[in-house]
Amino acid sequence: MRIERDVIYIFIATLFLMVAIPWAAGQLSEDIFFEWPFFFEVAIGGLLAGVMYSLVALGFVLIFKASGVFNFAQGAMVLFSALTLVGLNELGLPMWLAVIVTLIVMLVLAIVIERVVLRPLVNQEHIILFMATIGITYFLDGFGQTLWGSEVKILDLGIPSEPGFYFGGAILINDFDLVAALIAGVLVVSLALFFQYTRIGRALRAVADDHQAALSVGIPLKHIWVIVWAVAGIVALVAGIMWGSKLGVQFSLALIALKALPVLILGGFTSVPGAIIGGLIIGAGEKLAEVFIAPLIGGGIEDWFAYMLALAFLVFRPQGLFGEKIIERV
Amino acid sequence: MIYREAGEFKASYREDMAILPIRQDRWFMWALMAVAFLVIPSIASEYWLGTIMLPFLILALAALGLNVLTGYAGQLSLGTGGFMATGAFAAYKLATAFPELHIIVVILLAGLITAGVGILFGIPSLRIKGFYLAVATLASQFFLIWMFNKFGWFTNYSSSGVISAPPMTAFGDFFVTGPHATPVAKYLFALTLVVFFAMMTKNLVRSNIGREWMAVRDMDIAAEIIGIKMLPTKLKAFAYSSFLCGIAGALWAFVHTGSVEPLAFDVNRSFQILFMIIIGGLGSIMGAFLGSAFIVLLPILLTNAPHLFGLNIPVDIISHIEFMVFGALILFFLIVEPHGLARLWQITKEKLRLWPFPY
Amino acid sequence: MHERTLGDVVLEVRNISLSFGAMRVLNDISFDVRQGEIRSIIGPNGAGKSSMLNVINGFYHPQEGTITYRGETRHQMKVHKAAEQGIARTFQNIALFKGMTTLDNIMTGRNLKIKSNMLLQAIYWGKAQKEEIEHRKKVEEIIDFLEIQAIRKTPVGRLPYGMQKRVELGRALAAEPDILLLDEPMAGMNVEEKEDMSRFVLDINDEFGTTIILIEHDMGVVMDLSDRVVVLDYGLQLADGPPDEVRSNQAVIDAYLGVSH
């Protein structure tokens, strides 16, 4: 992959600002506590959270690449898969079996979505498909909670969640975050490899580039769509397990997934590396801002900071960091 | 048999360019207005006026606003709730800081302030399009709600973060907000404003600016090449759209609920309004009203329907089922009739024109 | 075909070069357009004809060269400026506003001439209404001219291809342009439709005195209609002159018949 020079500049500028602004805030304001170990602790915590954002964003990218559909329902899929998993587990299925059944459920869901929603809407404008996925979102949110209830459920994977000290005891990191980030990282890398090096992966990319052309060389579109939605479903399940065991399985999971949207506009809708780097920047930026800037302006800026950050990026790169530039022609 | 345009000849472009060129349509509209202004206030119960007609009208106004932006100008927005909140809080600040201002002035100014905010958040639309823009509008949604929650100034430092409308009159003793306002008064006040702005909107979309909006929506490059300036055209759409949303928000806070917290305008409100225009019909004035009626009535129907069948379903399950039904309906409309209820209405009229001899 | 004396030069492009990244689309192209003439640009697919039009109306910005229009010389046009100064065009792939009616599409062509502000338009009273009606009259004249009365209120997305081409021409005419750029107005048409379209082009040129720059593949049509012809091939200018001269130019014949170089 060839990286444009602009991207590198923006990247370096971002890194610089991420360090400089907290430092300056610490120097200028009494209310801001700034010390280097603390800064790194916050930054690393943010990066680890960012990996989780990447995971959700990856689901979006997969579907967008292969079908041009901006899948707003990715968050609902995270919630739905987590609810199903915990629900099955509560019904008495052992965890491993519940995971398998949930995977099957997500596959069935992909087939149903392809049949019921995508196929009738093929060749419609992208914006119509986008709104259709909002419909799917509402349906899944309602369906999942009707089926499994809406009270907060606990998902215990047995990962220790005590904070541990690293780097000679200077920096405090939550072990759970570390494990989650590791799992997410493995998944992200394997999906990137899958996309790049397997036959199905290449077919997926072909479909993304041109539906007609892909059809004409014999790639069955509907299979591809089912596969890609199923893969996105699996990604959603992993994200659901990770987020769910951290925060409990509840409706707010669907909202956390909204955080993946700024990751996408930052990284570009079509780029797997973009989703990863975008997630890291958003995760770290958000945490740093919350700790080092928010106290100055009233706190609680997590709700919108990621969006504003992404928006600021768009001013410089309307297509996102790694998105493809569109040459318009008439 | 009755609905015919045959035999009606237009002698001038002025007649041909009227909003409703067909005579029966005009009669229908006058009849509808008579029902809305005279019949409904005299027969409808307080419950009907307060919990159905008022939200229907006010949300229809917001839907009208979003429809200008999304349906006519093609700029997808998920920030409607934020703009409604802006209108509500602007109206509150104006009404409390300048108690002598007339409510109409307060509401119009609140609309203008919201229009300014709308322009601000519309600026990125010049650089970014489609999904990127949709996500960017979410930024305004979250930011605005956070701002109203966070800074006490907006609520005059009320500890609960709730704003309450001071009692205000439209004229004389005719209270339209506060405890003395009757549901009929509130209804008539909202109705008058909504009808007025619906007319204005109709005029705009059939004029040059409306054509420019649609041109940008249908093919922005071609629009630019025939001389339409992107930035002013898009910003006008953002401004007018958020003007209407702001007024809707002010009406919601002042006339409908009387007191409101920022949460009433969260992202779900934005989706609700978006659903209205999808179901009602993108790019249609009528659609905003049909969609609003549908979305306001549906939950009431869903809540009451199980009782009719003697079922007793817990409230939280009903709210989940409501989600499902909304989702399914959105999908249904997008797949079966992407142009929404307004299009169905159109088709019915076309059939009626030929009825009973379709050939 | 017709021997005419041509007017003054109204538009001149000089040494225009345009590239996208490493791809050179136009290479040192120079020609002029005289008042009231029908000027054709021909060449095989990918010769850079449409790109040339895009340079003239400011949609593409050339890296080198100048454009002189109305006595002003500049390196590039601005899209909006070009429209304001009377350059209108049609597109190779129809670029109509699909959701709007024929009438509205053509009315849009008059957007630069409508002066009422937004508030007046919202009230739709007095000046705004009078203006709308005035412009409607003009648009009706165009509709009559192009013989599309029957489809006045049909959304253009539902019209057949040939009709859409006509509506697009109508939209360009509505701006009352000084120069009309026509990008393959007859592509994909049958003989009858081509004849109609040729008649419209000639009438526009005759009746309104509009200068026309035409891209067309049908050589018969080009040779019949044009006063002068520019020939492009892979971004290079092969020839420039009256139809007869161009027809007998060896380089042109080679390019069209594909002689190996």
Side-chain angles (χ1 to χ4, degrees):
Chain A
M1 192 183 66
R2 211 174 61 86
I3 298 173
E4 287 173 60
R5 198 181 299 159
D6 285 0
V7 174
I8 296 171
Y9 290 154
I10 292 177
F11 195 66
I12 292 169
T14 309
L15 279 184
F16 173 74
L17 289 176
M18 276 170 138
V19 180
I21 292 177
W23 180 82
Q27 304 304 308
L28 295 173
S29 169
E30 299 280 302
D31 303 334
I32 308 286
F33 171 77
F34 183 92
E35 261 180 25
W36 288 109
F38 180 58
F39 170 81
F40 282 114
E41 199 173 295
V42 174
I44 289 171
L47 287 174
L48 294 178
V51 179
M52 308 264 275
Y53 288 151
S54 300
L55 194 55
V56 183
L58 200 64
F60 281 96
V61 171
L62 284 175
I63 289 180
F64 191 82
K65 261 178 103 82
S67 57
V69 176
F70 184 98
N71 179 26
F72 196 81
Q74 189 66 30
M77 282 162 67
V78 171
L79 174 66
F80 181 75
S81 62
L83 277 175
T84 308
L85 179 72
V86 180
L88 289 169
N89 190 230
E90 281 177 358
L91 284 181
L93 263 62
M95 194 47 99
W96 62 269
L97 190 59
V99 169
I100 291 171
V101 175
T102 309
L103 283 175
I104 293 168
V105 169
M106 295 315 280
L107 178 67
V108 172
L109 183 69
I111 294 170
V112 171
I113 287 176
E114 194 275 327
R115 271 286 152 77
V116 179
V117 182
L118 297 178
R119 209 179 292 175
L121 286 175
V122 73
N123 287 334
Q124 283 280 6
E125 284 171 61
H126 287 179
I127 219 80
I128 299 277
L129 281 157
F130 170 61
M131 292 198 268
T133 62
I134 297 182
I136 297 176
T137 305
Y138 267 67
F139 185 83
L140 273 185
D141 282 349
F143 184 57
Q145 293 185 85
T146 308
L147 216 56
W148 306 111
S150 52
E151 66 279 10
V152 182
K153 293 184 172 64
I154 299 183
L155 177 59
D156 189 8
L157 295 176
I159 302 172
S161 62
E162 293 87 42
F165 284 94
Y166 294 86
F167 302 106
I171 294 174
L172 185 74
I173 296 169
N174 198 326
D175 280 344
F176 177 84
D177 286 349
L178 214 54
V179 175
L182 202 68
I183 293 172
V186 168
L187 192 69
V188 168
V189 170
S190 48
L191 277 170
L193 293 176
F194 165 78
F195 243 93
Q196 210 66 34
Y197 296 110
T198 65
R199 207 175 64 85
I200 292 176
R202 278 196 298 272
L204 289 175
R205 284 190 295 152
V207 172
D209 286 342
D210 192 334
H211 289 181
Q212 293 294 329
L215 276 175
S216 67
V217 295
I219 296 171
L221 208 52
K222 57 184 187 190
H223 291 175
I224 294 291
W225 283 6
V226 168
I227 291 172
V228 81
W229 278 77
V231 173
I234 295 167
V235 174
L237 176 61
V238 176
I241 293 173
M242 291 297 130
W243 282 108
S245 52
K246 187 172 175 172
L247 303 168
V249 176
Q250 54 177 319
F251 183 70
S252 67
L253 282 189
L255 299 177
I256 286 167
L258 280 180
K259 278 283 166 58
L261 296 178
V263 171
L264 285 169
I265 51 178
L266 204 149
F269 284 156
T270 48
S271 166
V272 172
I276 299 166
I277 292 178
L280 294 177
I281 292 178
I282 293 277
E286 190 178 73
K287 275 280 174 343
L288 289 170
E290 186 64 43
V291 173
F292 295 107
I293 302 174
L296 299 177
I297 54 168
I301 62 173
E302 270 170 338
D303 283 350
W304 55 268
F305 182 79
Y307 288 90
M308 286 295 179
L309 188 66
L311 208 53
F313 266 86
L314 281 183
V315 176
F316 298 104
R317 296 268 305 177
Q319 70 273 37
L321 276 182
F322 300 100
E324 287 140 25
K325 187 170 177 147
I326 305 141
I327 296 175
E328 288 182 303
R329 30 184 315 148
V330 281
Chain B
M1 277 288 241
I2 303 160
Y3 186 74
R4 283 284 184 280
E5 57 179 330
E8 271 189 69
F9 299 103
K10 288 159 194 100
S12 70
Y13 291 131
R14 190 196 177 110
E15 279 174 37
D16 191 47
M17 288 156 77
I19 295 179
L20 301 167
I22 298 177
R23 194 185 300 140
Q24 283 88 343
D25 280 346
R26 283 198 294 275
W27 289 347
F28 175 75
M29 196 44 86
W30 285 117
L32 191 68
M33 286 298 114
V35 170
F37 277 98
L38 303 172
V39 180
I40 290 179
S42 49
I43 63 164
S45 67
E46 292 203 352
Y47 171 80
W48 263 84
L49 287 176
T51 40
I52 295 174
M53 291 312 289
L54 264 183
F56 154 67
L57 285 171
I58 296 170
L59 293 178
L61 188 61
L64 212 53
L66 182 62
N67 218 345
V68 165
L69 189 61
T70 303
Y72 284 98
Q75 311 296 308
L76 184 58
S77 163
L78 300 175
T80 319
F83 294 132
M84 287 179 76
T86 310
F89 280 82
Y92 175 70
K93 284 307 283 185
L94 286 165
T96 49
F98 310 101
E100 65 281 1
L101 282 183
H102 189 265
I103 182 158
I104 298 277
V105 179
V106 167
I107 285 175
L108 286 182
L109 283 177
L112 288 177
I113 291 171
T114 316
V117 175
I119 289 175
L120 204 65
F121 284 103
I123 292 171
S125 72
L126 191 69
R127 295 267 290 173
I128 55 179
K129 294 180 191 173
F131 310 129
Y132 284 93
L133 183 64
V135 177
T137 57
L138 272 179
S140 68
Q141 169 73 45
F142 291 128
F143 178 77
L144 289 169
I145 299 302
W146 170 83
M147 191 173 78
F148 296 128
N149 259 326
K150 213 74 216 178
F151 298 105
W153 184 80
F154 290 106
T155 56
N156 289 346
Y157 305 98
S158 116
S159 54
S160 57
V162 174
I163 53 170
S164 299
M168 295 173 97
T169 62
F171 50 84
D173 275 342
F174 192 74
F175 278 95
V176 290
T177 70
H180 301 298
T182 63
V184 173
K186 291 175 168 186
Y187 166 77
L188 283 176
F189 181 69
L191 179 68
T192 312
L193 281 178
V194 170
V195 168
F196 176 75
F197 285 114
M199 274 293 289
M200 284 211 5
T201 311
K202 181 68 198 176
N203 283 338
L204 279 177
V205 298
R206 69 189 174 127
S207 298
N208 190 48
I209 181 73
R211 288 191 296 268
E212 289 181 343
W213 285 339
M214 290 186 273
V216 169
R217 171 196 69 191
D218 284 353
M219 191 166 253
D220 52 354
I221 300 171
E224 214 174 344
I225 286 172
I226 64 169
I228 294 171
K229 286 187 192 139
M230 283 299 122
L231 186 63
T233 306
K234 284 183 178 174
L235 289 189
K236 276 178 197 164
F238 269 97
Y240 186 68
S241 161
S242 30
F243 174 72
L244 292 185
C245 292
I247 288 177
L251 285 175
W252 187 269
F254 273 47
V255 179
H256 176 44
T257 55
S259 64
V260 80
E261 53 178 339
L263 215 59
F265 304 109
D266 68 356
V267 70
N268 284 318
R269 179 72 64 200
S270 299
F271 283 123
Q272 187 189 30
I273 310 285
L274 181 68
F275 288 174
M276 286 180 184
I277 66 169
I278 297 175
I279 290 178
L282 288 165
S284 154
I285 305 283
M286 172 78 104
F289 286 91
L290 293 175
S292 171
F294 195 88
I295 299 268
V296 169
L297 287 175
L298 187 70
I300 295 173
L301 190 75
L302 285 178
T303 319
N304 292 319
H307 294 298
L308 294 180
F309 298 109
L311 294 168
N312 205 359
I313 301 174
V315 183
D316 63 324
I317 299 276
I318 285 185
S319 82
H320 299 326
I321 292 177
E322 202 178 299
F323 262 68
M324 279 174 68
V325 174
F326 273 144
L329 276 171
I330 291 294
L331 292 173
F332 174 82
F333 271 100
L334 287 173
I335 291 166
V336 178
E337 187 46 74
H339 301 286
L341 289 170
R343 178 77 192 131
L344 290 179
W345 170 246
Q346 201 70 35
I347 292 170
T348 317
K349 281 209 301 190
E350 274 170 29
K351 290 233 168 90
L352 203 59
R353 238 149 97 175
L354 302 172
W355 186 84
F357 305 112
Y359 298 105
Chain C
M1 179 193 69
H2 39 208
E3 278 303 318
R4 316 192 288 178
T5 43
L6 297 173
D8 295 335
V9 171
V10 285
L11 176 89
E12 185 175 12
V13 294
R14 191 164 283 285
N15 310 111
I16 293 288
S17 292
L18 172 76
S19 342
F20 292 117
M23 193 170 63
R24 201 141 172 110
V25 182
L26 293 172
N27 205 342
D28 198 24
I29 308 290
S30 303
F31 61 90
D32 60 16
V33 180
R34 289 172 176 277
Q35 177 67 44
E37 77 170 325
I38 299 180
R39 187 68 149 121
S40 290
I41 304 175
I42 62 169
N45 283 328
K49 304 182 299 284
S50 292
S51 297
M52 193 62 234
L53 289 196
N54 281 332
V55 166
I56 292 176
N57 79 342
F59 189 66
Y60 288 166
H61 296 159
Q63 280 78 14
E64 283 160 51
T66 58
I67 303 164
T68 308
Y69 178 58
R70 287 190 170 180
E72 260 184 83
T73 301
R74 53 199 133 193
H75 288 288
Q76 48 179 250
M77 293 292 280
K78 291 228 162 62
V79 176
H80 184 255
K81 197 102 182 158
E84 265 178 359
Q85 297 196 336
I87 298 179
R89 74 173 286 184
T90 66
F91 301 87
Q92 187 178 352
N93 306 310
I94 298 170
L96 282 170
F97 308 126
K98 292 224 162 51
M100 299 161 73
T101 61
T102 300
L103 196 58
D104 278 346
N105 263 281
I106 302 180
M107 282 292 271
T108 316
R110 297 194 70 78
N111 76 87
L112 287 169
K113 301 188 184 301
I114 293 177
K115 300 285 177 253
S116 304
N117 62 33
M118 197 165 155
L119 191 63
L120 282 174
Q121 291 181 30
I123 301 164
Y124 205 81
W125 195 261
K127 188 174 158 233
Q129 192 183 19
K130 234 172 67 196
E131 218 184 359
E132 278 285 301
I133 291 172
E134 240 166 64
H135 289 290
R136 172 74 188 271
K137 277 187 194 138
K138 283 274 181 210
V139 166
E140 287 292 339
E141 282 168 25
I142 292 165
I143 288 177
D144 287 343
F145 173 77
L146 294 172
E147 297 156 20
I148 47 176
Q149 296 90 339
I151 54 165
R152 211 186 255 123
K153 295 198 172 166
T154 315
V156 295
R158 290 196 221 152
L159 294 175
Y161 181 78
M163 279 294 153
Q164 294 197 7
K165 282 264 180 194
R166 246 190 241 192
V167 176
E168 206 188 19
L169 180 60
R171 187 180 67 190
L173 281 180
E176 299 176 38
D178 295 336
I179 299 185
L180 184 57
L181 316 178
L182 301 177
D183 196 346
E184 301 199 18
M186 292 158 224
M189 286 186 167
N190 62 33
V191 177
E192 206 174 317
E193 288 172 322
K194 276 185 186 176
E195 278 172 1
D196 279 343
M197 191 53 94
S198 302
R199 186 161 50 83
F200 291 136
V201 171
L202 281 175
D203 284 351
I204 291 164
N205 182 247
D206 271 359
E207 283 181 30
F208 311 134
T210 311
T211 308
I212 291 171
I213 303 179
L214 174 75
I215 294 179
E216 186 46 60
H217 269 297
D218 187 320
M219 276 309 125
V221 170
V222 170
M223 295 303 166
D224 276 355
L225 295 183
S226 325
D227 293 299
R228 290 188 298 159
V229 180
V230 178
V231 189
L232 302 183
D233 186 24
Y234 291 108
L236 291 167
Q237 186 168 340
L238 291 188
D240 179 11
D244 292 336
E245 204 180 296
V246 164
R247 208 194 315 247
S248 52
N249 183 309
Q250 193 56 44
V252 176
I253 294 169
D254 290 352
Y256 270 87
L257 298 179
V259 171
S260 55
H261 296 283

